[in-house]
Amino acid sequence: MIVRTLEEITDSPRDTKAPTWCSRRFLLKSDGVGFSLHDTLIYPGTETLIWYRNHIEAVYCIEGEGEVEVTETGTIYPIRAGTLYTLNGHERHLLRAKTQLRMICVFNPPLTGNEVHDVQGVYPLEAVNAQ
Ligand code: 9YT
């Protein structure tokens, strides 16, 4: 059994920081469970371009208010606590946080731990220096 707390992950190597978000990565590829699970904060007033070409991500909002726009269609979905969106079509999207969003994110295949988006909003299939 794997047991971890937010307190021990915060500011550890499992806490990945980007300009518009931070991601507390509770489960990673090295844990061997077939997915990764993250507690992510999206900072208020930000917009992030994301495109998971190599991964499926499910995102469950537990705090905050914002929206996600599918760039190909322009469709906008509001996000608030209790909203789940799943990028099962590898949709390129813009994530906007009106207030700080707290999201529980699950990735398949699992992230290795060091991924941050490149200029196209993409994570490589496997980042180097896995934790
Ligand atoms: C919701 C979302 O995709 N945020 C970006 C960070 C990502 N959740 C991660 O790497 O944990």
Side-chain angles (χ1 to χ4, degrees):
M1 187 183 293
I2 300 166
V3 178
R4 296 195 171 112
T5 66
L6 184 59
E7 290 69 29
E8 71 195 37
I9 288 174
T10 300
D11 295 326
S12 80
R14 284 177 177 263
D15 187 355
T16 301
K17 297 173 198 281
T20 57
W21 52 265
C22 69
S23 178
R24 289 79 60 93
R25 294 174 167 166
F26 277 75
L27 291 171
L28 289 166
K29 185 180 181 193
S30 57
D31 293 307
V33 296
F35 57 88
S36 61
L37 187 144
H38 319 160
D39 180 336
T40 299
L41 300 177
I42 314 289
Y43 302 139
T46 62
E47 178 181 81
T48 309
L49 176 66
I50 302 175
W51 191 10
Y52 296 122
R53 286 196 291 196
N54 304 309
H55 302 83
I56 305 282
E57 185 195 28
V59 182
Y60 183 62
C61 177
I62 58 169
E63 287 173 19
E65 230 183 288
E67 63 182 27
V68 59
E69 176 177 343
V70 180
T71 59
E72 193 183 5
T73 59
T75 308
I76 294 176
Y77 300 95
I79 299 170
R80 55 187 162 77
T83 305
L84 169 82
Y85 66 89
T86 304
L87 300 156
N88 57 326
H90 302 282
E91 293 89 348
R92 184 175 179 268
H93 59 285
L94 287 163
L95 180 58
R96 300 188 185 102
K98 187 171 164 193
T99 62
Q100 177 169 276
L101 292 168
R102 185 171 177 199
M103 320 283 237
I104 305 303
C105 308
V106 174
F107 280 81
N108 181 17
L111 298 197
T112 60
N114 293 300
E115 291 90 345
V116 288
H117 303 123
D118 68 16
V119 287
Q120 290 183 296
V122 177
Y123 284 165
L125 189 54
E126 264 202 13
V128 289
N129 304 320
Q131 298 293 320

